[in-house]
Amino acid sequence: MKSHADISKFLSYVLRHQPESIGLQLDTEGWAAVNDLITLAGKAGTPLTPALIEAVVRDNDKQRFALTEDKLHIRAVQGHSTNQVAMTWAEKQPPQTLWHGTATRFINSIRAQGLVAGSRHHVHLSGDEVTAMSVGKRHGKPVVLKIRAGAMHQQGFAFYQAENGVWLTLAVPAAFIDFSAAE
């Protein structure tokens, strides 16, 4: 039996990046039928049950997934790279400062081109330094960058907030990044 962490990684892979790897179809908002997920995951060698899915969604420390109220559909709340998904959020005014956790090895690239979404649809920003630090640790020696989100918003950059509190924007130009923590 796979651990909750293993199931969470599997769900992230399938619901965020490669639904076609098991033949799963997502709608444009990222929703998939739980019954389809269970059937297709089982055929791919990852047995799931409704109770296991509910537990992984409930217990995920980053609240990466959401179930509909009737528990018939599931989605990843952000972080998609699949073209099946084109989620829409209401634009929201960000706080003056947001944070981005990354690894020190990416700093030169970020200085040159700012923060770009890469294969994802948006750049992910945190509302606090602690969360950003935990994100940065996943990528190597961590560094937390201070983002002048309020100034960006005043200049017309759009911000959105996912259901789990993660802030999203299309890109962050280097001019809005405080690199002092990286020096």
Side-chain angles (χ1 to χ4, degrees):
M1 185 69 164
K2 294 185 180 188
S3 70
H4 279 206
D6 290 336
I7 298 299
S8 179
K9 286 178 185 174
F10 173 80
L11 291 177
S12 286
Y13 177 72
V14 170
L15 296 174
R16 295 167 98 185
H17 308 297
Q18 292 290 325
E20 59 276 0
S21 69
I22 63 168
L24 187 65
Q25 189 65 39
L26 307 179
D27 71 14
T28 58
E29 292 295 316
W31 294 105
V34 169
N35 285 340
D36 292 349
L37 175 62
I38 290 170
T39 299
L40 295 167
K43 288 179 182 177
T46 302
L48 300 175
T49 65
L52 178 57
I53 291 170
E54 285 179 43
V56 169
V57 169
R58 179 189 63 240
D59 298 340
N60 185 269
D61 62 336
K62 295 192 173 50
Q63 296 297 291
R64 286 196 169 116
F65 313 106
L67 285 166
T68 53
E69 200 170 313
D70 61 10
K71 297 185 171 121
L72 296 178
H73 293 86
I74 185 172
R75 74 174 176 183
V77 297
Q78 96 283 324
H80 299 89
S81 64
T82 177
N83 291 329
Q84 288 186 30
V85 177
M87 290 175 73
T88 56
W89 288 279
E91 191 172 333
K92 188 172 181 181
Q93 183 171 344
Q96 283 300 111
T97 303
L98 289 170
W99 309 91
H100 182 78
T102 190
T104 55
R105 71 178 186 273
F106 299 126
I107 293 301
N108 289 338
S109 174
I110 295 169
R111 283 184 196 278
Q113 61 186 9
L115 293 169
V116 295
S119 64
R120 293 184 176 184
H121 297 179
H122 294 92
V123 171
H124 295 191
L125 303 171
S126 302
D128 64 85
E129 292 179 81
V130 173
T131 301
M133 180 62 76
S134 72
V135 170
K137 285 179 181 177
R138 294 192 323 234
H139 302 288
K141 185 178 177 194
V143 64
V144 174
L145 302 174
K146 184 177 178 180
I147 309 301
R148 291 186 291 283
M152 282 180 65
H153 189 258
Q154 286 175 341
Q155 291 199 17
F157 289 85
F159 285 83
Y160 313 94
Q161 193 172 29
E163 297 153 70
N164 63 353
V166 173
W167 284 89
L168 308 167
T169 192
L170 294 177
V172 178
F176 295 99
I177 303 171
D178 178 349
F179 288 96
S180 61
E183 296 165 352

